[in-house]
Amino acid sequence: MDYIYAYVLEGDTEGVVKGVKRALQDGIEPAVIIDCLINSMAEVGVRMKNGDMFVPEVLASAEAMKEGLQIVKPLLSGENYSQGKIVIGTVAGDLHDIGKNLVAMLLESAGFDVVDLGIDVPAEKFMAAIEEHQPAIVGLSALLTTTMETMKKTVGAIIARYPSIRVIVGGAPVSQEFADSINAHGYAPDAASAADLAKRLIN
Ligand code: B1M
């Protein structure tokens, strides 16, 4: 199983796919393989936080991990390995999605079911997605100082209508102080921290 772990860290999708198939042929339980995939992405998160891995490498690892997951997930008949559901999007007026995509990928890698609403998402679309998907957490991303105001309004609208939902925020101009000021339940400075934060909020 060390080989799967290593392939994920290298961002080697082909290697991960071959490794997962080999592990299955060797009779290793799908749940054990999933644990291995999740642990390897946890290590990617640690390396990213320490500055030992950078955005392109993290994206490659997350992609490789996702491919591996696609093979094993259907084999988990009746077992639910989801940590919970998260709706995520970049707020209205904002078209930046590279960081948000990274956050979505690491959340998926951490075992969450992620519903990604994309960019330029108005509050009403978040509300409709909450009604449809009943998530435990909603994540908002903003990269512009101008859209921080939209983030504030969107967080306010979500909390007012769905008090039990946890709202987390992030993006380059966003800070813990700003998150506190708009009553968000959590702030994360990077994708790896966002996955840790979501796990903490769920538990
Ligand atoms: Co734009 N842009 N941009 N841009 N752009 C910035 C953000 C800017 C800082 C550049 C600058 O002037 N130095 C500046 C904002 C200034 C400000 O408001 N303070 C800026 C501007 C002004 C603009 C336009 C207005 C430019 C124009 O048209 N005149 C325009 C706005 C369009 C719009 O949104 N309405 C614009 C357009 C664009 C492009 C379309 C060309 C492109 C976006 C492409 C895309 O996303 N698909 C773009 C890009 C690429 C950037 C920069 C260069 C890079 C952003 C990025 O992807 N970073 C950026 C300058 C910079 O940041 N150096 C800039 C990499 C990414 C991994 O990091 O997004 O911070 P980041 O995400 C991190 C964390 O923030 C965090 O985790 C991520 C991963 O670790 N995070 C979360 C993010 N979301 C999170 C959510 C969470 C938790 C953590 O919980 C839910």
Side-chain angles (χ1 to χ4, degrees):
M1 293 286 283
D2 289 352
Y3 46 90
I4 296 178
Y5 191 89
Y7 284 134
V8 172
L9 287 178
E10 287 161 19
D12 181 346
T13 301
E14 212 175 299
V16 171
V17 168
K18 277 190 195 152
V20 167
K21 287 181 178 165
R22 180 177 138 194
L24 288 170
Q25 270 166 9
D26 290 347
I28 294 172
E29 288 293 321
V32 176
I33 299 173
I34 288 192
D35 277 348
C36 175
L37 289 166
I38 289 176
N39 289 341
S40 55
M41 272 316 287
E43 174 62 18
V44 169
V46 171
R47 293 188 185 190
M48 185 190 179
K49 273 195 216 168
N50 294 341
D52 296 327
M53 278 180 87
F54 299 99
V55 171
E57 297 159 305
V58 175
L59 285 173
S61 288
E63 196 54 51
M65 190 269 187
K66 259 173 89 177
E67 288 296 318
L69 216 49
Q70 300 298 344
I71 301 171
V72 201
K73 259 190 174 170
L75 306 174
L76 294 167
S77 53
E79 294 174 62
N80 183 11
Y81 277 82
S82 174
Q83 292 255 22
K85 211 175 252 187
I86 300 190
V87 164
I88 190 169
T90 303
V91 299
D94 201 319
L95 307 179
H96 297 85
D97 70 354
I98 297 169
K100 183 266 298 164
N101 291 347
L102 200 51
V103 172
M105 281 178 121
L106 289 207
L107 287 170
E108 274 185 359
S109 305
F112 288 95
D113 282 333
V114 177
V115 179
D116 188 347
L117 303 179
I119 53 173
D120 194 15
V121 183
E124 305 75 53
K125 195 167 169 187
F126 278 108
M127 306 288 202
I130 291 169
E131 290 290 339
E132 183 182 348
H133 301 287
Q134 304 287 321
I137 298 176
V138 175
L140 310 182
S141 180
L143 262 289
L144 299 170
T145 40
T146 48
T147 54
M148 287 168 76
E149 186 55 31
T150 319
M151 177 178 261
K152 179 182 173 180
K153 287 184 183 146
T154 309
V155 170
I158 294 172
I159 291 176
R161 196 178 307 170
Y162 305 101
S164 65
I165 284 186
R166 306 290 91 179
V167 183
I168 64 172
V169 295
V174 179
S175 63
Q176 182 66 59
E177 196 185 1
F178 176 72
D180 292 342
S181 76
I182 62 171
N183 298 320
H185 301 102
Y187 157 77
D190 55 57
S193 309
D196 290 343
L197 171 66
K199 280 190 253 174
R200 277 202 308 278
L201 285 174
I202 288 281
N203 296 321

